[in-house]
Amino acid sequence: MQYLKYSRSWAPMTENQFCWTILDQSCGTTIAMAAWLNSFVLSGAMYHCGLLLVLLDLSLDVVGSVSQLEIDRHLELGREFLVNGQLQDALSHYHAAVEGDPNNYLTYYKRGAVYLALGKAKFTILDLDKVLELKPDFTSARLQRGTVLLKQAQFDKAEADFRDVLAVEPHNTDALNALYKIAPTQEDLLMVDRLMRDGDYVAAAQQISRIIEVCPWSAELRERRAECYEAFEDYVSAISDVRSTTKLQSDNTQGFFKLANLHYRVGQVEESLKEIRECLKLDPEHSKCFAFYKKVKEVAKLLTNAEESKNSSDYDKCIDPAQRVLKLEPNVANVQFIAHQLLCKCYTSKSEVSQALKSCQEALKIRKEAAVYCDRAEAYLAAEMFDDAIRDFKEALEIDMSLQRARQGLLKAQQRQKLSESRDYYKILGVPRTASKRDIIKAYRKAAQKWHPDNFQEGEEKKRAEKRFIDIAAAKEVLTDDEKRAKFDQGEDPLDPESGKHQQGFNPFQEFHHFHGSPFQFKFHFN
């Protein structure tokens, strides 16, 4: 045999000589030679040959095309996977069958059915085009292509296919029904043009929705409806339509760019970042997507840092990134809203009431949300502006009657207002509501020394000092006891006889251990 002659002449060759000889002689080798090559490779003689893959490809060329048996096997597996709903696996086997026999119209037709099931209308059309090129009289394929074209709103092409079907089968019900839909749908589309020109976007969106019932795979129609939704600020619906276009059209960078912008406009910064990254996956050099990506990434990072700092009670670190967001984004109101709300909460927690109220007010100018009314109410409470706090908690409940935070806040504000008409232990000691126990004791000692009755002459001054001294001692008792302080902060005076919850036997002078006789006739020492 011829390959034995080659094997003898190649025996003394170097590896490189061997490889290049194979390339030179490949056109003349036989199937037997391919088998010899396989045995030669297995023996290890070609282990380091850099052209091994090329040789294997050549050996396949020598063998010839895939056998009909293998094609049939791919078709059978494709059918089984399709029946079981394993569409990607079915598609792989139909690909192999098409490659094995590129002139079999039925194989293209079956693969087109899988593409259709996957919602890949573009590839479905390409396969049906090939089917009709190979077999122009295949009526089922022509009807199927017309149906897909109609769903894509390609009316002229769809009409041509349906008329061709009816020329062969005049009573084909599917073709007749589809054909009858085309003219009215085209008229509806002209109506959409007029409505949009007139600025009636609500009616235009409703009209497009009727057309989409006939043409659900039209990316253009969904883009136009999204434009209408944007015009009357229904951004959620606009996002839904634009997302559909990214599925209907492959490599839709413009769709992802639009989607990212819409999410950003409604204040969904993380979602915006996710969509703009999808644009850059398709085209890393897309100038608009890259510029927008840099901005959104920075805003997302700042908002995340502010939120994490707020949650960890590091309010200074919360305030700085939130303020930077406002400088970075001066135009998009819903992004500014997030920053203002963070500032409202963090300034309130820092007892910087004026700044807190200003930030809350700015947030409410953008969106009147129940949570923000509660935030502002908390700031009013910190400023002891009880009427304003009560009003804001009620506003929150108007928006959301089930909001527990607003219910509890309203009760607290009302109780605090009632307390303000009697004794406020924080005011008595001159400390803020956020004062530590150490600061409270320090303030108590200072006030007690100042208002001790022994420091005053008999008469009205002494009586006023006695009353003030009792209040100071009561304030110290309540504010240095965690349980009593918590009750007071909730609007209940634990020493109020009417509450029934105060401790009996309270002695304002029990702190002093150096007096004799009358409680007002002593001097004491403060540590």
Side-chain angles (χ1 to χ4, degrees), residues 53-324:
L53 292 176
V54 175
L55 292 174
L56 291 175
D57 286 341
L58 289 173
S59 69
L60 288 175
D61 290 341
V62 170
V63 172
S65 61
V66 179
S67 69
Q68 186 59 46
L69 186 62
E70 290 175 287
I71 293 170
D72 291 342
R73 179 59 177 160
H74 283 304
L75 290 172
E76 178 58 25
L77 287 171
R79 187 192 66 79
E80 290 178 5
F81 282 125
L82 182 59
V83 169
N84 293 326
Q86 296 171 259
L87 301 179
Q88 289 294 346
D89 291 325
L91 191 61
S92 297
H93 285 286
Y94 284 128
H95 282 326
V98 167
E99 290 172 6
D101 185 1
N103 295 314
N104 188 325
Y105 71 93
L106 282 175
T107 306
Y108 285 105
Y109 187 70
K110 291 173 183 177
R111 188 174 70 174
V114 179
Y115 277 133
L116 192 61
L118 287 168
K120 297 183 177 182
K122 176 183 176 181
F123 294 104
T124 301
I125 292 292
L126 290 174
D127 271 356
L128 291 174
D129 287 346
K130 187 65 178 179
V131 171
L132 293 168
E133 177 188 324
L134 295 169
K135 188 173 177 56
D137 62 346
F138 192 177
T139 304
S140 294
R142 195 170 297 279
L143 178 62
Q144 186 68 271
R145 187 175 70 175
T147 302
V148 175
L149 290 168
L150 177 58
K151 289 184 177 182
Q152 291 181 316
Q154 298 189 50
F155 300 114
D156 293 340
K157 291 182 179 180
E159 183 177 354
D161 273 345
F162 293 138
R163 292 197 181 281
D164 286 343
V165 170
L166 292 170
V168 179
E169 301 177 11
H171 302 293
N172 188 300
T173 306
D174 292 332
L176 285 168
N177 290 338
L179 189 61
Y180 290 149
K181 293 178 182 179
I182 292 177
T185 305
Q186 287 177 310
E187 290 177 8
D188 288 343
L189 200 52
L190 291 173
M191 176 67 76
V192 169
D193 293 336
R194 290 195 294 272
L195 290 169
M196 292 185 73
R197 280 198 304 270
D198 294 341
D200 191 349
Y201 294 103
V202 174
Q206 293 171 346
Q207 189 78 359
I208 294 172
S209 296
R210 287 191 284 272
I211 299 172
I212 286 177
E213 291 178 7
V214 179
C215 311
W217 297 345
S218 171
E220 183 182 353
L221 284 171
R222 292 185 184 272
E223 287 171 357
R224 296 191 71 182
R225 188 169 66 175
E227 183 183 343
C228 294
Y229 285 139
E230 278 189 80
F232 54 86
E233 298 183 354
D234 183 356
Y235 295 118
V236 173
S237 297
I239 286 170
S240 177
D241 269 346
V242 176
R243 177 167 283 112
S244 294
T245 69
T246 64
K247 296 175 181 178
L248 290 167
Q249 294 177 327
S250 58
D251 299 335
N252 189 0
T253 54
Q254 185 59 33
F256 284 114
F257 179 66
K258 182 73 172 176
L259 201 53
N261 273 275
L262 285 169
H263 276 296
Y264 187 76
R265 194 179 302 176
V266 298
Q268 297 172 349
V269 180
E270 288 295 336
E271 283 297 317
S272 175
L273 188 60
K274 175 184 172 183
E275 300 300 344
I276 205 65
R277 282 173 173 156
E278 290 298 320
C279 175
L280 291 173
K281 283 181 185 178
L282 294 173
D283 183 2
E285 297 181 0
H286 195 290
S287 58
K288 288 184 178 179
C289 285
F290 185 69
F292 191 62
Y293 166 73
K294 288 195 296 183
K295 177 181 177 179
V296 177
K297 183 181 178 183
E298 180 65 16
V299 171
K301 181 180 177 182
L302 290 170
L303 289 175
T304 298
N305 290 343
E307 184 68 30
E308 289 176 351
S309 298
K310 176 182 72 69
N311 293 338
S312 62
S313 302
D314 192 344
Y315 301 114
D316 286 323
K317 287 187 177 179
C318 162
I319 289 167
D320 179 64
Q323 289 176 331
R324 288 171 62 191

Side-chain angles (χ1 to χ4, degrees), residues 103 124 251 340 376 383 420 452 454 456 478:
N103 295 314
T124 301
D251 299 335
H340 284 306
R376 191 171 69 173
S420 69
H452 194 281
D454 284 355
F456 297 88
V478 170

Side-chain angles (χ1 to χ4, degrees), residues 282-526:
L282 294 173
D283 183 2
E285 297 181 0
H286 195 290
S287 58
K288 288 184 178 179
C289 285
F290 185 69
F292 191 62
Y293 166 73
K294 288 195 296 183
K295 177 181 177 179
V296 177
K297 183 181 178 183
E298 180 65 16
V299 171
K301 181 180 177 182
L302 290 170
L303 289 175
T304 298
N305 290 343
E307 184 68 30
E308 289 176 351
S309 298
K310 176 182 72 69
N311 293 338
S312 62
S313 302
D314 192 344
Y315 301 114
D316 286 323
K317 287 187 177 179
C318 162
I319 289 167
D320 179 64
Q323 289 176 331
R324 288 171 62 191
V325 169
L326 293 175
K327 292 178 181 178
L328 186 61
E329 183 47 79
N331 299 316
V332 179
N334 284 313
V335 175
Q336 293 176 328
F337 170 84
I338 301 170
H340 284 306
Q341 188 177 23
L342 284 165
L343 289 170
C344 169
K345 291 180 178 179
C346 292
Y347 277 129
T348 300
S349 299
K350 284 190 68 181
S351 298
E352 296 184 22
V353 176
S354 61
Q355 289 291 343
L357 290 172
K358 180 180 177 182
S359 296
C360 293
Q361 185 62 33
E362 291 299 320
L364 286 168
K365 284 180 184 178
I366 298 168
R367 293 210 305 255
K368 297 188 182 303
E369 291 191 357
V372 186
Y373 276 112
C374 288
D375 293 337
R376 191 171 69 173
E378 293 289 350
Y380 280 133
L381 272 179
E384 299 185 353
M385 300 168 70
F386 302 116
D387 288 336
D388 294 307
I390 289 169
R391 184 197 65 230
D392 272 1
F393 281 127
K394 287 181 177 178
E395 288 283 355
L397 288 171
E398 286 288 327
I399 297 170
D400 184 358
M401 285 295 294
S402 64
L403 187 61
Q404 196 65 21
R405 179 189 175 191
R407 289 179 177 278
Q408 292 173 347
L410 178 60
L411 180 61
K412 181 171 73 173
Q414 289 169 336
Q415 289 174 333
R416 287 271 301 278
Q417 185 181 50
K418 181 181 177 182
L419 274 177
S420 69
E421 297 168 357
S422 55
R423 291 189 295 187
D424 186 328
Y425 296 125
Y426 290 104
K427 274 188 176 180
I428 290 169
L429 294 183
V431 295
R433 301 188 75 84
T434 55
S436 66
K437 188 177 292 188
R438 181 178 178 181
D439 290 337
I440 289 168
I441 292 172
K442 183 178 178 181
Y444 157 72
R445 286 174 175 168
K446 183 178 179 181
Q449 188 174 26
K450 176 181 178 181
W451 290 98
H452 194 281
D454 284 355
N455 294 332
F456 297 88
Q457 298 296 323
E458 292 293 336
E460 289 300 321
E461 266 195 357
K462 192 176 186 72
K463 290 180 179 179
R464 186 165 66 89
E466 288 173 357
K467 182 180 184 306
R468 186 66 180 267
F469 187 78
I470 291 171
D471 287 342
I472 290 167
K476 188 262 184 185
E477 179 185 348
V478 170
L479 299 183
T480 56
D481 183 298
D482 291 340
E483 184 178 348
K484 291 177 181 177
R485 184 176 180 179
K487 287 181 179 179
F488 182 73
D489 286 342
Q490 290 299 316
E492 174 189 336
D493 186 349
L495 302 182
D496 183 358
E498 292 183 3
S499 72
K501 299 178 182 179
H502 67 288
Q503 291 186 353
Q504 300 295 328
F506 164 63
N507 180 1
F509 305 102
Q510 64 186 349
E511 295 294 323
F512 307 108
H513 308 290
H514 306 291
F515 65 90
H516 302 279
S518 168
F520 295 128
Q521 297 173 356
F522 66 90
K523 295 291 183 180
F524 55 89
H525 304 282
F526 292 94

